[in-house]
Amino acid sequence: VRTTAASSCATTIECPLAIVGVSDVFSVTPLAEDTTPDGFSFTDITDAELSTLTTHANKTVAGINSTPTASVLEIGCEMNINNAGWTTTGTTISNGQTFGVRTTSAGSFATTIECTLTIGGVSDVFSVTTLAEDTTPDGFSFTDITDAELSTLTTHANKTVAGINSTPTVSVSGIGCEM
């Protein structure tokens, strides 16, 4: 006796056989439906530039034999299934397909945006945290001038400010000093 297993999960095919009053049923039942994938995790991003599109590299779904729904929860987060384009709408995913998430980092310093991707009840959060504000410039120095002419306007060559990612307050002090 032989038969082909059903194409649907948990659907039993029965083949009864009887020989002169002796009988038995040969039954074949495929695997139960499994929509819960193996666990997955995203690597969180820190020190992201402000207002920058940030994408997590694709992962591959494994451990399912059906097509559960994949979805992102937060506004501003998108997912991609098998490189078929970015979406915010829930969609199905199959074993072996790839998936990724992306979001735009916050427009302010030291701020975290979180994107939760859920596939068949299994979730992970992709966090993107912007860099901290740095208002302390790299060191600089002026070359002092000696033997200047009396009552002569004297200017130092321009310096370039480096080592900051924000716009701190700049001031000059001293009698008659300008910038």
Side-chain angles (χ1 to χ4, degrees), residues 16-78:
L17 176 65
I19 302 175
V20 189
V22 178
S23 65
D24 194 13
V25 175
F26 174 59
S27 62
V28 177
T29 305
L31 300 169
E33 182 177 37
D34 182 1
T35 59
T36 305
D38 297 344
F40 58 90
S41 64
F42 296 115
T43 302
D44 297 332
I45 304 295
T46 57
D47 295 329
E49 293 295 326
L50 303 180
S51 304
T52 302
L53 185 62
T54 307
T55 303
H56 192 285
N58 282 344
K59 299 266 186 190
T60 301
V61 70
I64 59 175
N65 63 12
S66 188
T67 54
T69 298
S71 61
V72 287
L73 302 177
E74 293 82 3
I75 294 173
C77 298
E78 297 175 297

Side-chain angles (χ1 to χ4, degrees), residues 59-145:
K59 299 266 186 190
T60 301
V61 70
I64 59 175
N65 63 12
S66 188
T67 54
T69 298
S71 61
V72 287
L73 302 177
E74 293 82 3
I75 294 173
C77 298
E78 297 175 297
M79 67 179 171
N80 180 318
I81 306 298
N82 252 19
N83 294 319
W86 294 97
T87 183
T88 58
T89 306
T91 187
T92 58
I93 188 168
S94 299
N95 206 54
Q97 288 186 308
T98 60
F99 59 94
V101 291
R102 75 178 184 182
T103 189
T104 299
S105 62
S108 54
F109 293 104
T111 303
T112 301
I113 301 285
E114 294 183 335
C115 295
T116 304
L117 178 71
T118 303
I119 299 174
V122 176
S123 299
D124 192 46
V125 176
F126 174 51
S127 296
V128 178
T129 304
T130 53
L131 50 97
E133 184 175 22
D134 182 0
T135 59
T136 305
D138 295 345
F140 60 89
S141 63
F142 295 112
T143 303
D144 295 333
I145 297 175

